[in-house]
Amino acid sequence: MEKKYERPEKFFLERYDLSSASFESALGRVLGKKIDYADLYFEYETSESLSLEEGIVKKVSKNISQGVGVRAISEEKTGYAYSDDISTEQLLTAAKTARYIAKEENTTDNVPIQKAASPRQDLYPVGRPPIDVPIEEKIDLLHRIDRLARGIDPRIKKVMASFSSEYKIMLVVTSNGLVVGDILPLMRLNVTCIAEKGENRQVGSFGGGGRREFGFFLGQGEGIGDSEDPPFEHYAREAARQALLNLDAVDAPAGPMEVVLGPGWPGILLHEAIGHGLEADFNRKKTSAFSGRLGERVASELCTVIDDGTIPGRRGSLNCDDEGTPTSRTVLIEKGILKNYLQDRLNASLMKMPLTGNGRRESYAHSPMPRMTNTFMLSGDSAPDEIIRSVKRGLYAVSFGGGQVDITSGKFVFSASEAYMIEDGKIGAPVKGATLIGNGPDVLTRVSMVGNDMALDSGIGTCGKDGQSVPVGVGLPTIKISEITVGGTRS
């Protein structure tokens, strides 16, 4: 039986009538005396999306995209050209263009490449990709969600459900002779409920997914935490519960106070406010609050922060990054001490540091750069109940909606979509309109308790940077921050 990871090279060679000589010739067109490195990135992707609203199918779409990108690196300068026409002629044209952008040097010597290599890991052994599941099964799932959510409570007035999936085949060929490819499935299911009581209207949303088979949503496989429901039922119940909860929420207070973040999705604050500041490009350019601080204390000794692209089935996981480097588990902060940055090939070379497998790109039309995969904080020793009991008056934030972050400084504003007051060590009334305002590096130094309940998010994260979006995962245990500014409407 043919090994899975030999297929990407075969796929592109046969589908587009290419040859190993085409690769070697294109790399030869790029490389010259002043070009340090070059690579070719081939991509073929099929994607689809469906949505249901008011019990009616509102949208069904399916798209195919394909192309090749050619990159030339000369010291700090990068030349990048791409074509959506994969052919030897267009490949050579793109190679010539990338070379001119980087340096106007010419060469025609071919660059020898090796036989395609297999990634050393298989993190998503999906038998039938979700995109191959008949559309009728997906529409039926959306209808089941709609009926279930409406039946939970008569105050649920509107239900929207959507499903999306993609199936990507990629191949990287480098001037180092590396030829490595991957086949990446990905799917996501979202549910939004609107609850009404008089003129009060509130929204609740929940969803999940990952690099898994479609049957995951139906409960055919691993579950979600302590829930015995199939994932699609869990998503519907959570979206409805959140909408109904917010009908009775009171206005959030304002001012500095103790804040407890719940496990799982609140890790998005860690991703945005700290994770981006640990990406190598910002640190090489010295525009990050963490620049030049390796070995220094940057957080409470209770904090150990990890980026791990090797967790099976997760949305942010990759067998190899978009430069062909195997992903890894990278300790970024260990007991408060800064240990590492997230590296792609360009920045690792310039900073003379090891690759970490974090070179990622949105598509063949984009040059790679350092990006997170699954970023989370390790569990501590405290029980979640103990953390709540330790708070005299504060905010307990369970889930977040939108937010804004200055990536280089770490300053952030996040809106809580589910939050509660804590009074005398007990969780009190739900609040609405709460925002958290702070600075990521500063917040890490204020972590005073870390729970023993680290959880990863349900598989919904998408990270934006420099106009490129890539799927990611986040995670967090319950943590207490000794003081953070809460924005609200009640003093």
Side-chain angles (χ1 to χ4, degrees), residues 340-353:
N340 218 328
Y341 300 128
L342 298 172
Q343 298 285 356
D344 66 342
R345 186 172 293 278
L346 170 64
N347 289 283
S349 174
L350 294 172
M351 298 176 76
K352 301 187 187 309
M353 295 183 70

Side-chain angles (χ1 to χ4, degrees), residues 4-114:
K4 175 182 177 182
Y5 298 112
E6 290 175 353
R7 281 191 279 157
E9 184 192 33
K10 184 178 180 181
F11 174 84
F12 287 105
L13 290 176
E14 294 183 352
R15 186 180 183 90
Y16 301 102
D17 195 25
L18 299 172
S19 66
S20 295
S22 303
F23 300 159
E24 293 176 342
S25 177
L27 289 170
R29 290 270 184 119
V30 183
L31 283 186
K33 291 182 179 178
K34 296 184 179 179
I35 300 296
D36 304 315
Y37 172 84
D39 60 23
L40 318 174
Y41 177 83
F42 296 88
E43 181 183 273
Y44 178 90
E45 180 183 294
T46 306
S47 61
E48 67 172 355
S49 63
L50 303 84
S51 64
L52 188 81
E53 187 174 337
E54 295 298 288
I56 300 171
V57 177
K58 289 286 187 178
K59 174 187 175 185
V60 177
S61 66
K62 195 164 189 174
N63 299 291
I64 294 175
S65 68
Q66 58 186 11
V68 57
V70 181
R71 179 171 61 154
I73 295 177
S74 175
E75 297 179 344
E76 295 187 30
K77 192 172 182 180
T78 296
Y80 195 78
Y82 67 91
S83 170
D84 58 8
D85 178 5
I86 301 178
S87 65
T88 298
E89 180 183 3
Q90 292 301 319
L91 180 59
L92 295 177
T93 300
K96 183 178 178 181
T97 304
R99 185 194 71 223
Y100 273 114
I101 294 171
K103 288 284 183 182
E104 292 189 13
E105 291 286 333
N106 197 6
T107 182
T108 56
D109 294 336
N110 287 2
V111 175
I113 60 173
Q114 304 168 6

Side-chain angles (χ1 to χ4, degrees), residues 133-146:
V133 174
I135 195 169
E136 291 80 7
E137 292 185 34
K138 297 163 185 171
I139 291 175
D140 178 65
L141 176 63
L142 298 184
H143 278 296
R144 292 173 68 181
I145 290 171
D146 180 84

Side-chain angles (χ1 to χ4, degrees), residues 217-219 222-224 226-235 237:
F217 291 136
L218 305 173
E222 61 184 295
I224 300 177
D226 297 330
S227 175
E228 296 181 355
D229 294 332
F232 82 94
E233 289 190 18
H234 181 69
Y235 300 165
R237 294 187 193 284

